[in-house]
Amino acid sequence: MKFFIDTADLEEIRDLSDTGLLDGVTTNPSLIAKSGGNILDVIANICDLVSGPVSAEVTATEFDAMMSEAKVLSEIAPNVVIKVPLTVDGLKTCKLLREDNIEVNVTLCFSAAQALLAGKVGASFISPFVGRIDDIGGTGMELIDEIVDIYSQYPSIETEILVASVRHPNHVIEAAKMGADIVTLPPKVLRQLFKHPLTDRGLSDFLSDWEKTGQSILNLAEDRKKAAE
Ligand code: G3P
């Protein structure tokens, strides 16, 4: 399973890319607004840090304007993925961009029917928003299950399922069990994946027992080296 990070915060991206776990980045207009930067610079800076796909979303809502914005965004770097909303104009834009071999992430997906349409127009990625479905009393992960099932019936659909609007580690585990291709994680959730209280407690016990021995692996190695000289 691939891990993308859902942020436009360069410090977070830099910090988490050092873990070697990041396969890509997703942004949206709200995240760009939160970063305080201009979208062209922010996306260029992210692309300097990450070699995997970086989603940059168009903000126009009509086909011609979406195409013009997509052209500008796709010229920023070769790894830019154009993000379009799941609307009629968004899917028209997706189809044309895919014919030009430009990668497209279709976002704001809330139903299996919408995911099927995105698959039909050759989207590179479909982004179902699981957290926002949970927020209104639904079960976001049921949608992932349905999309995995539908796409698996049609080998000609190459669209990758990018689970978005992830709120907690359980979303990630459920998505992995279902075989979703990618999760895009807020930095906080990625950090939560590392954590387990028994890891912390176990490490603390090991270290306090170790301290009692008075040993240091590096000092012992140094002593050995000197003795052999
Ligand atoms: O980037 C799209 C998506 O992940 C947004 O998530 O938390 O705003 O519902 P959220």
Side-chain angles (χ1 to χ4, degrees), residues 111-121 126 147 150-151 154 157:
S111 78
Q114 290 179 319
L116 184 57
L117 299 182
K120 271 186 77 67
V121 295
I126 181 69
I147 302 173
I150 291 169
Y151 282 8
Y154 298 96
I157 296 182

Side-chain angles (χ1 to χ4, degrees), residues 112-148:
Q114 290 179 319
L116 184 57
L117 299 182
K120 271 186 77 67
V121 295
S124 318
F125 306 98
I126 181 69
S127 290
F129 278 27
V130 294
R132 292 194 193 186
I133 294 176
D134 293 352
D135 290 346
I136 59 160
T139 306
M141 293 315 299
E142 284 175 6
L143 174 58
I144 304 304
D145 207 19
E146 274 187 291
I147 302 173
V148 169

Side-chain angles (χ1 to χ4, degrees), residues 65-125:
M66 280 181 170
M67 285 300 295
S68 304
E69 288 189 358
K71 187 172 178 325
V72 171
L73 294 172
S74 66
E75 280 169 0
I76 296 174
N79 54 329
V80 168
V81 172
I82 303 303
K83 209 170 176 189
V84 298
L86 209 150
T87 59
V88 172
D89 289 65
L91 292 192
K92 276 168 71 179
T93 304
C94 174
K95 187 155 173 39
L96 211 63
L97 292 173
R98 293 299 295 130
E99 281 166 14
D100 275 349
N101 237 2
I102 293 171
E103 305 285 1
V104 182
N105 177 359
V106 175
T107 190
L108 290 167
C109 170
F110 293 94
S111 78
Q114 290 179 319
L116 184 57
L117 299 182
K120 271 186 77 67
V121 295
S124 318
F125 306 98

Side-chain angles (χ1 to χ4, degrees), residues 6-7 26-28 30-31 57 83 107 127 129 131-132 135 163-167 184 186:
D6 198 28
T7 184
T26 51
T27 67
N28 62 37
S30 303
L31 293 171
E57 187 161 344
K83 209 170 176 189
T107 190
S127 290
F129 278 27
R132 292 194 193 186
D135 290 346
V163 179
S165 186
V166 164
R167 300 272 197 264
T184 188

